[in-house]
Amino acid sequence: MNILVLNCGSSSLKFQIIETDLKKIEKNEDKQLAKGLIERIGSQALVTLQADGAPPVKHAAPLRDHRSALDHIIKWIISDDSKIPNIQSLADIHAIGHRVVHGAERFTNSTIITDAVIRGIEDCIDLAPLHNPANLKGILAAREVFGPGVPQVAVFDTSFHATMPETSFLYAIPYQLYRRHKIRRYGFHGTSHRYVAFRYRQLTGKSREETNIITLHLGNGCSACAIKHGSSFDTSMGLSPLEGLVMGTRGGDLDPAVIEFLVHKEGMSMVEIDNLLNKQSGLLGISGLTNDMRDLLAEAHEHQDRRAMLAINIFVQRAKKYIGAYLAEMNGADGLVFTGGIGENAAPIRQLICDNMQWLGIEIDEKVNAEMVGGKEGDISTKKSRVKVFVIPTNEELLIARDTARCVLSTPETK
Ligand code: ADP
């Protein structure tokens, strides 16, 4: 079956069409037929579309909302110009899979979207005010375009972490606040952590039970996950994606007293503080230059820019801290997996994170590491390394397509 995977942000829409079914999942023979991205929805949008095996096509179009963006994509998908294999009309799209950021405690698995599920996703808006409304826009637009005959499935960023024990997910604040408002750690990037854990099992031939690893998703947003017996045991993001590692524009862990201090010293409002912590902190905040790791590495290397180097070093030290914590929580791990834009491409960052960790059993091969970039997948550790270190490019869209196929054909998630 052909699955349209949609990932809607507040002003963006990413999509892929993936051909998959239970047999293809089993044999790893799913196929990406097309992909694309629309940015700056609401004004003159930038559109990039690409059918499998063809070069990308880029243009601008006035697209006022997610519905017009989806119409635009559909028009291209079914046009003769697109030349997408096996797709001639709307009827050739058999199901739609949506990325949904927050499923709270209510959604612990991917699920077919019904009216009740839509209400449930709306109920989670409080917890993800920046993300869930955009995801809902995509769901409602797809319902209008495809009608009730085409099943839609929601795949949640939080659901992989539903297996975390209370000792990992509760904050040490009065317990009744958890009872009353469900204030707890949820974790995000679940689809990515789950995908790379699954690939790790394929690459190493380990069973789910034998999978005891730490996964580091280092992109613009960054999170670490301790995976014990194949399930999420602990993760670095919390109630929201603000907690944990240093990220592009988020600072991660912070003493909450800083917030009150800012209110008094800078006269900032909560909205301003929220913006400061989400958009102006992290690599950007420390360097004062950029949130882009490529540019920071260039600045540090070519100009020895002090604050660029400081941002990199703080980023690296925080990652080390979480690796150490998770090794302690899990009584060691067999593997460490890097993924995300930085994890997959920034060899110097992987090197810095893994430097001086021999005592913990982590040692990577400098040359192999330097070459493992640009979408390559493999083991970068030395023979001596007790913890095997892998680079595994993430593929959240593939997992969303697979979950969609499995929900539609009603079989449980396994891979
Ligand atoms: P998102 O979290 O938005 O999906 P990505 O996973 O694409 O983001 O990661 C974006 C980050 O990856 C940026 O900081 C970018 O600089 C970094 N990155 C991408 N390619 C490279 C590279 N070749 N070297 C260093 N960093 C890179």
Side-chain angles (χ1 to χ4, degrees), residues 189 217-222 246-250 291-292 341-342:
H189 289 145
H217 178 106
L218 308 178
N220 225 331
C222 300
V246 175
M247 318 183 202
T249 58
R250 300 185 196 117
N291 62 324
D292 193 302
I342 296 172

Coordinates of all heavy atoms in Angstrom, one line a residue, residues 189 217-222 246-250 291-292 341-342:
H189 N 11.1 12.8 20.5 CA 11.9 12.2 19.5 C 11.7 10.6 19.6 O 12.6 9.9 19.2 CB 13.4 12.5 19.7 CG 13.8 13.8 19.4 ND1 14.8 14.5 20.1 CD2 13.5 14.7 18.4 CE1 15.0 15.7 19.6 NE2 14.2 15.8 18.6
H217 N 20.0 11.4 19.9 CA 19.4 12.1 18.7 C 19.9 13.6 18.8 O 19.5 14.4 19.6 CB 17.9 12.1 18.7 CG 17.3 12.8 17.5 ND1 16.8 12.2 16.4 CD2 17.2 14.2 17.3 CE1 16.4 13.1 15.6 NE2 16.6 14.3 16.1
L218 N 20.9 13.9 18.0 CA 21.5 15.3 18.0 C 21.1 16.0 16.7 O 21.8 15.8 15.6 CB 23.0 15.2 18.2 CG 23.5 14.4 19.4 CD1 25.0 14.3 19.4 CD2 23.0 14.9 20.7
G219 N 20.1 16.8 16.7 CA 19.7 17.6 15.5 C 19.6 19.0 16.0 O 20.4 19.5 16.8
N220 N 18.6 19.7 15.5 CA 18.4 21.0 16.0 C 17.8 20.9 17.4 O 18.3 21.6 18.3 CB 17.4 21.8 15.1 CG 17.8 23.2 14.9 OD1 18.5 23.8 15.7 ND2 17.4 23.7 13.7
G221 N 16.9 20.0 17.6 CA 16.5 19.5 18.9 C 17.4 18.3 19.3 O 17.7 17.6 18.4
C222 N 17.7 18.2 20.5 CA 18.6 17.0 20.9 C 18.0 16.3 22.1 O 17.5 16.9 23.0 CB 20.0 17.5 21.3 SG 20.9 18.4 20.0
V246 N 22.0 20.3 25.5 CA 22.1 21.6 24.9 C 21.6 21.4 23.4 O 22.0 20.4 22.8 CB 23.5 22.1 24.9 CG1 23.7 23.4 24.2 CG2 24.0 22.3 26.4
M247 N 20.8 22.3 22.9 CA 20.3 22.1 21.6 C 20.6 23.4 20.8 O 21.3 24.3 21.2 CB 18.8 21.9 21.6 CG 18.4 21.0 22.7 SD 16.6 20.6 22.8 CE 16.6 20.0 24.5
G248 N 20.1 23.5 19.5 CA 20.4 24.6 18.7 C 20.0 25.9 19.4 O 20.9 26.8 19.5
T249 N 18.8 26.0 19.8 CA 18.3 27.3 20.4 C 17.7 27.1 21.8 O 17.2 28.0 22.4 CB 17.3 28.0 19.6 OG1 16.2 27.1 19.3 CG2 17.9 28.5 18.2
R250 N 17.7 25.8 22.3 CA 17.3 25.5 23.7 C 18.4 25.1 24.5 O 19.3 24.4 24.1 CB 16.3 24.4 23.7 CG 15.0 24.6 22.9 CD 14.1 23.4 23.1 NE 13.1 23.4 22.1 CZ 12.9 22.4 21.2 NH1 13.7 21.3 21.2 NH2 12.0 22.4 20.3
N291 N 22.8 28.9 15.5 CA 22.4 27.6 16.1 C 22.9 26.5 15.3 O 22.5 25.3 15.6 CB 20.9 27.6 16.3 CG 20.2 27.7 14.9 OD1 20.7 28.4 14.0 ND2 19.1 27.0 14.7
D292 N 23.6 26.8 14.2 CA 23.9 25.7 13.2 C 25.3 25.2 13.5 O 26.3 25.9 13.5 CB 23.9 26.3 11.8 CG 24.0 25.3 10.7 OD1 24.9 24.5 10.7 OD2 23.0 25.2 9.9
G341 N 20.8 15.3 12.5 CA 21.7 16.0 11.6 C 23.2 16.1 12.2 O 24.1 15.9 11.4
I342 N 23.3 16.4 13.4 CA 24.7 16.5 14.0 C 25.3 15.1 14.3 O 26.4 14.8 13.9 CB 24.6 17.3 15.4 CG1 24.2 18.7 15.1 CG2 26.0 17.3 16.1 CD1 23.9 19.6 16.4

